[in-house]
Amino acid sequence: MQAARKKDMPDDPFAQDVLSGLTAKDKWISSKWLYDQAGSQLFEDITQTRDYYPTRTEAAIFRTMMGDLADITGTGGGVAEYGSGASVKTRLLIEAVKPQLYVPLDIAGEFMEEAVAELSEAYPDLAIAPVVADFTQPVTLPDAFNRLERRLGFFPGSTIGNFEAGKAGEFLARVHRTLGDGAYFLVCADLVKDRDVLRRAYDDSDGVTAAFNLNLLTRFNRELGADFDEAAFHHEAVWNEERSRIEMHLVSDKDQSVHIAGQEIDFASGEHIHTENSHKYTPETMREMAEGAGWTVDRVWTDARDWFGVFLLKA
């Protein structure tokens, strides 16, 4: 079956990225495109499901370690969060380190606006300077943040696992350059554990993760003029032992052709679109990666089951 009838690529970066992935031999889509406004809200819904343990486990660690964190990093500086600031973890951090400036960075501008409005109401004395950016690429922080003596980066939710192993190290090195010497970076990572626990977390019994993944096709239809039949695909989560990661896929239920951004894409029955990876680490592999990117691991906090790790890195 022919993968696609090639035409000139459109100018829109989203369309270019999607077409590049869908016309590849093994179809794939960058996971960053999962997070439009609807996708971002669905992900927040995932974190509340019974099967998705990372958010609850991470929050429990935070409630026990925030005093220690404030003692190490000091208070009154700046916090730059690589994410929208929508979670309860952001509030725990703000209340512990009491920053004078908070800078959320996220590609989903509308979703971040809502989160910022809620934080502004909760913390009226906190200066907030949101940056709409793809933080998988180089970003520029506000001068007001860069001038602060105490600077803390924050990367919650095990999002570090969405990077390929090499790209995760490159990201850590890039954040090191962005935050500058003397800064701290608080990075959260999901740890290797029972495979059935992992699979359930990424294919929950309530079907929210499936809706999150399938929303990608809804976005293609809405923004790129595609004609995907969402009912002709299903969500699948698989454990890749060799690469120590959970993979999310959209699987075609039949032979079909789809039009998107002026091109026709053919799918065989059972063919996959690889949409996201979630790598699982050990404390040792996280330390090795962080040190390779120029950081020193100052402190590590885990839960009683060693299911999740919070790593404080120092530049």
Side-chain angles (χ1 to χ4, degrees):
M1 202 177 245
Q2 186 181 8
R5 295 176 177 88
K6 298 274 189 179
K7 294 183 179 180
D8 292 337
M9 283 286 188
D11 294 332
D12 175 43
F14 176 39
Q16 288 179 348
D17 208 19
V18 170
L19 286 175
S20 177
L22 291 182
T23 56
K25 180 177 180 293
D26 297 315
K27 293 180 173 64
W28 65 278
I29 299 294
S30 171
S31 62
K32 68 185 178 184
W33 301 119
L34 289 163
Y35 296 90
D36 63 348
Q37 186 173 17
S40 296
Q41 183 57 59
L42 281 166
F43 180 75
E44 289 301 313
D45 294 342
I46 288 170
T47 67
Q48 303 304 312
T49 63
R50 292 167 294 175
D51 296 316
Y52 194 79
Y53 63 85
T55 300
R56 290 189 299 274
T57 308
E58 181 186 36
I61 296 171
F62 272 37
R63 290 188 175 95
T64 63
M65 48 127 338
M66 280 298 168
D68 291 342
L69 176 70
D71 289 341
I72 297 169
T73 64
T75 58
V79 169
E81 178 174 354
Y82 288 74
S84 67
S87 73
V88 66
K89 295 165 289 189
T90 300
R91 298 185 179 219
L92 291 172
L93 182 67
I94 288 172
E95 289 165 11
V97 303
K98 300 177 174 58
Q100 57 182 287
L101 175 62
Y102 169 70
V103 181
L105 302 100
D106 203 278
I107 195 170
E110 291 183 10
F111 187 73
M112 183 167 62
E113 284 180 12
E114 295 177 5
V116 166
E118 292 177 3
L119 288 174
S120 295
E121 183 175 352
Y123 306 102
D125 295 329
L126 175 62
I128 303 178
V131 176
V132 179
D134 176 4
F135 59 65
T136 66
Q137 304 299 318
V139 297
T140 300
L141 296 176
D143 288 341
F145 179 89
N146 295 329
R147 289 194 296 266
L148 293 170
E149 180 180 356
R150 294 188 178 92
R151 300 176 309 282
L152 172 63
F154 183 40
F155 198 36
S158 73
T159 310
I160 190 73
N162 296 145
F163 291 92
E164 292 293 337
K167 295 295 184 182
E170 292 174 11
F171 169 75
L172 290 179
R174 192 160 57 245
V175 173
H176 187 289
R177 293 191 295 271
T178 300
L179 295 179
D181 290 343
Y184 286 95
F185 191 33
L186 192 66
V187 183
C188 303
D190 198 12
L191 304 180
V192 174
K193 62 184 64 63
D194 181 83
R195 296 353 178 205
D196 289 337
V197 172
L198 288 169
R199 289 190 192 95
R200 286 196 301 272
Y202 291 86
D203 193 8
D204 63 276
S205 55
D206 297 321
V208 183
T209 310
F212 169 68
N213 205 10
L214 287 162
N215 177 66
L216 194 57
L217 305 184
T218 304
R219 184 178 186 187
F220 293 164
N221 290 348
R222 182 181 66 250
E223 297 185 27
L224 300 179
D227 56 5
F228 278 92
D229 177 4
E230 296 159 41
F233 289 81
H234 69 269
H235 164 73
E236 191 170 289
V238 297
W239 171 253
N240 186 323
E241 183 72 36
E242 181 181 357
R243 300 192 178 186
S244 191
R245 72 188 188 193
I246 282 281
E247 299 175 357
M248 290 201 334
H249 297 258
L250 291 169
V251 184
S252 177
D253 294 327
K254 62 183 181 180
D255 292 344
Q256 56 185 310
S257 296
V258 175
H259 301 87
I260 180 168
Q263 295 202 33
E264 184 174 281
I265 310 292
D266 294 330
F267 289 87
S269 179
E271 188 171 4
H272 290 221
I273 309 172
H274 189 169
T275 57
E276 188 171 56
N277 296 316
S278 185
H279 292 82
K280 307 306 172 185
Y281 291 94
T282 66
E284 293 74 26
T285 56
M286 272 296 295
R287 180 181 297 273
E288 180 180 347
M289 183 170 65
E291 291 177 349
W295 296 94
T296 298
V297 179
D298 191 287
R299 187 79 179 267
V300 180
W301 295 271
T302 63
D303 61 288
R305 295 178 294 189
D306 287 332
W307 275 17
F308 201 89
V310 179
F311 299 79
L312 181 62
L313 314 182
K314 190 174 192 303

